[in-house]
């Protein structure tokens, strides 16, 4: 079977920063599961199915990457999938506090390990929230997300008249 890893997140929507981490995880592990958290409490702009579909399209060239969704605890999902390692990107020290807490909590609960990957500097300022804000106010996010993601974002934000 080889060594597997899970890349969890909300992915609302996927950005080139996420894809950098996913492709590097795919280069270091035999199999990678990208796990989309359903997370209705965050009121995502895109449904779980839409977020999964965009990710599938974005990683279609990576043969050892699968896209799935989950709800509940990440440790329970990882146990079901028999994966023992989480891969997360760190953009800056501002990510560190919350990521360290989650990594320590996950390891305490079930022994699930977290490996941190330093985001490529070219994507270090990217976040899905910022991307949505820029598109909402008419800004251009070409080159920061895949072209089809930009189109879906523009359509969705135009449709809800926000
Ligand atoms: O893309 P995000 O929103 O930064 O991803 C956060 C995510 C999905 C990795 C995190 O919220 C998570 O693992 N949620 C699942 C619920 C859970 O296990 N919570 C306890 C974490 S210690």
């Amino acid at each position: 079977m080889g060594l597997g890893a899970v890349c969890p997140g909300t992915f609302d929507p996927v950005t080139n920063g996420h894809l950098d981490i996913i492709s590097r995880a795919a280069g270091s592990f035999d199999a990678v599961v990208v796990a989309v958290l359903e997370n209705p409490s965050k009121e995502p702009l895109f449904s779980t199915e839409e977020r999964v579909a965009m990710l599938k399209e974005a990683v279609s060239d990576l043969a050892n990457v699968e896209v799935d969704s989950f709800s509940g605890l990440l440790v329970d999902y990882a146990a079901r999938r028999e994966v023992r390692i989480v891969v997360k990107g760190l953009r800056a020290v501002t990510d560190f506090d919350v990521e360290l807490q989650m990594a320590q909590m996950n390891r305490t609960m079930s022994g699930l390990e977290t490996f941190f990957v330093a985001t490529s500097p070219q994507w270090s300022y990217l976040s899905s929230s910022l991307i949505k804000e820029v598109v909402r106010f008419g800004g251009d996010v070409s080159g920061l997300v895949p072209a089809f993601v930009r189109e879906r974002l523009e359509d969705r934000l135009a449709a809800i008249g926000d």
Side-chain angles (χ1 to χ4, degrees), residues 65-130:
V65 176
E66 170 197 339
V67 184
D68 193 11
S69 61
F70 76 107
S71 55
L73 289 177
L74 178 61
V75 289
D76 292 333
Y77 175 75
R80 281 201 300 281
R81 298 301 312 259
E82 299 182 341
V83 176
R84 295 178 35 254
I85 297 167
V86 177
V87 172
K88 293 296 270 320
L90 281 182
R91 288 167 295 195
V93 285
T94 43
D95 282 340
F96 187 75
D97 271 357
V98 66
E99 292 297 343
L100 183 68
Q101 282 184 324
M102 288 198 287
Q104 289 172 332
M105 181 65 89
N106 285 334
R107 184 156 179 267
T108 303
M109 285 192 286
S110 78
L112 186 65
E113 291 283 8
T114 300
F115 289 7
F116 290 113
V117 174
T119 301
S120 300
Q122 70 184 125
W123 310 125
S124 65
Y125 61 95
L126 276 192
S127 71
S128 297
S129 313
L130 211 50

Side-chain angles (χ1 to χ4, degrees), residues 14 16 31 39 48 52 54 62 64 66-68 90 94 96 105 112 123 128 140 148-150:
V14 61
N16 286 354
N39 211 353
T48 308
V52 167
M54 284 188 274
L62 299 171
N64 60 340
E66 170 197 339
V67 184
D68 193 11
L90 281 182
T94 43
F96 187 75
M105 181 65 89
L112 186 65
W123 310 125
S128 297
D140 183 5
F148 66 87
V149 171
R150 178 174 58 83

Side-chain angles (χ1 to χ4, degrees), residues 28-49:
S28 299
F29 292 88
D30 298 305
V32 171
V33 182
V34 178
V36 178
L37 178 66
E38 297 194 7
N39 211 353
S41 68
K42 269 199 171 180
E43 294 186 17
L45 182 63
F46 293 100
S47 70
T48 308
E49 294 71 26

